[in-house]
Amino acid sequence: MALFQRLNSKSIPIINSGFGSNATSNGKRFLNKDGNARVKRLGLSFFESKSWYHTLLDLPSWKFLGLLLLFYMGINFVFACLYFAIGIEHLNGIATTQSRWEQFGQAYFFSAQTFTTVGYGHISPVGFLTSSLSAAEALIGLLSFAIATGLFFGRFSKPKIYLKFSDNVIIAPYQNGTALMFRLAPYKNTNYLDTEVNVTLGLSIEENGVLTNKFYTLDLEISKVNTLMLSWTIVHPITEKSPLYQFTEQDFQNVQGEILVFVKTFDDMYSTTVATRTSYVFSELVFGAKFTPIFESSDKHQYTLIHLDALSDYKKI
């Protein structure tokens, strides 16, 4: 209760945060480290709750390529079974003296040739039913490759923000007091303009005997930069106006809190605005630390070198 009274006396909480105020109904944290919300939507069927286009665009590359391979192998297996069920004698060019496994293998590769419209020609359908099936397979193959091509282009051309965040947020000395800090940096050969950062503090505190979510906007030393080429240390000075004012190391250990980070910037290559988000829970906060420098000049002082592998490095003070 004392903590709640201290917060109420200094800071005005956000009323419409989008995360809800009931602390007993949410999970351990609001956002994952990758920025995805820790939300599972119930009450709909599996297919109703999925946007397959978004799902396929967001899949990791190895899963996406694996899914395409499984689809390609699976659909050819299905058509090979159908050809085999109609009768192998309706596929001209497959010897009836071969074993059943060899005949099925020949039917499978004929299906692959038809599906991809390669058509080497040494096997051809005979009869109306087999010809109709191969025609339908060729149409499905054309449509499937059109969809796969669109997905490949969508994944390749989708605007994406390439920012790395420090693993931890720290409480460091700042001017005559302390400040909450974390670092971010672009890690690709991209150019970001008008980069803006918003930081929100979420706390689960007891109010009148009920555990409640409270959200506060954290004022930043600098919230917007014209261009982002090097690393950027985000600083929230902990002054009397800060909801973290007078927080001790023990408070950070005892209170359930999360620091929500939202970044928006303009990518001049895509000529569009891109955004990302992440979060830090209080267990990822280091009290009494300082980030170590990650810049140095090249030997001939022609370049500024930034060591991105040291972005999260800090030392205790």
Side-chain angles (χ1 to χ4, degrees):
M1 179 61 69
L3 175 62
F4 171 69
Q5 290 174 346
R6 270 197 292 153
L7 287 169
N8 258 11
S9 65
K10 299 192 298 281
S11 305
I12 300 176
I14 303 172
I15 298 176
N16 299 315
S17 65
F19 293 99
S21 60
N22 189 349
T24 60
S25 63
N26 64 277
K28 291 184 177 180
R29 63 190 301 170
F30 300 105
L31 297 177
N32 293 318
K33 293 295 288 183
D34 61 4
N36 291 321
R38 294 178 66 91
V39 175
K40 287 189 176 182
R41 296 171 177 84
L42 306 177
L44 295 175
S45 68
F46 178 77
F47 292 100
E48 282 183 303
S49 63
K50 291 291 184 182
S51 168
W52 294 107
Y53 181 73
H54 288 83
T55 300
L56 292 172
L57 287 184
D58 288 336
L59 276 179
S61 297
W62 69 271
K63 287 187 178 181
F64 177 72
L65 295 175
L67 185 63
L68 288 183
L69 180 61
L70 286 176
F71 172 78
Y72 177 75
M73 295 175 63
I75 197 168
N76 281 303
F77 179 81
V78 170
F79 274 101
C81 291
L82 293 175
Y83 289 125
F84 206 74
I86 293 174
I88 209 69
E89 66 275 6
H90 294 286
L91 291 177
N92 189 27
I94 298 181
T96 56
T97 56
Q98 293 177 319
S99 68
R100 303 292 282 180
W101 283 112
E102 288 177 319
Q103 290 176 348
F104 183 82
Q106 291 288 326
Y108 180 88
F109 288 115
F110 169 73
S111 171
Q113 295 160 21
T114 304
F115 187 78
T116 59
T117 68
V118 172
Y120 292 122
H122 70 283
I123 300 176
S124 58
V126 178
F128 177 79
L129 189 58
T130 309
S131 298
S132 299
L133 182 61
S134 62
E137 183 180 9
L139 177 62
I140 293 173
L142 287 172
L143 295 177
S144 299
F145 277 99
I147 293 173
T149 302
L151 288 171
F152 266 108
F153 178 77
R155 290 175 62 89
F156 185 77
S157 62
K158 183 180 68 171
K160 183 180 179 181
I161 187 169
Y162 296 100
L163 287 180
K164 289 178 68 72
F165 293 88
S166 59
D167 295 333
N168 300 97
V169 61
I170 66 174
I171 302 296
Y174 176 78
Q175 295 180 355
N176 296 325
T178 58
L180 181 142
M181 302 181 186
F182 61 92
R183 289 198 293 204
L184 57 90
Y187 62 94
K188 296 275 189 181
N189 55 331
T190 52
N191 296 316
Y192 293 136
L193 307 174
D194 295 330
T195 305
E196 184 176 356
V197 177
N198 291 290
V199 181
T200 300
L201 171 67
L203 293 173
S204 296
I205 58 177
E206 188 173 326
E207 179 182 4
N208 298 326
V210 179
L211 200 61
T212 305
N213 288 331
K214 293 288 184 180
F215 296 90
Y216 303 86
T217 299
L218 299 186
D219 295 328
L220 304 179
E221 176 192 44
I222 300 174
S223 61
K224 187 175 183 179
V225 293
N226 293 332
T227 182
L228 182 59
M229 295 183 179
L230 303 174
S231 70
W232 183 11
T233 301
I234 308 300
V235 178
H236 164 65
I238 301 179
T239 64
E240 292 183 357
K241 296 181 179 179
S242 170
L244 296 175
Y245 185 62
Q246 294 181 341
F247 260 53
T248 64
E249 185 174 4
Q250 193 68 30
D251 287 331
F252 284 112
Q253 294 174 357
N254 294 336
V255 177
Q256 183 178 337
E258 185 172 353
I259 299 158
L260 310 170
V261 182
F262 305 90
V263 182
K264 181 174 62 175
T265 187
F266 183 82
D267 189 326
D268 67 349
M269 179 62 70
Y270 289 105
S271 293
T272 189
T273 298
V274 290
T276 189
R277 54 198 176 274
T278 189
S279 77
Y280 300 93
V281 292
F282 279 1
S283 60
E284 297 166 329
L285 182 144
V286 180
F287 194 91
K290 184 178 181 179
F291 282 121
T292 57
I294 58 175
F295 297 105
E296 65 175 342
S297 177
S298 61
D299 293 337
K300 296 183 180 180
H301 302 282
Q302 293 178 326
Y303 301 98
T304 299
L305 306 179
I306 175 172
H307 298 276
L308 292 175
D309 55 342
L311 185 68
S312 301
D313 291 356
Y314 64 85
K315 61 180 180 181
K316 293 285 288 184
I317 54 174

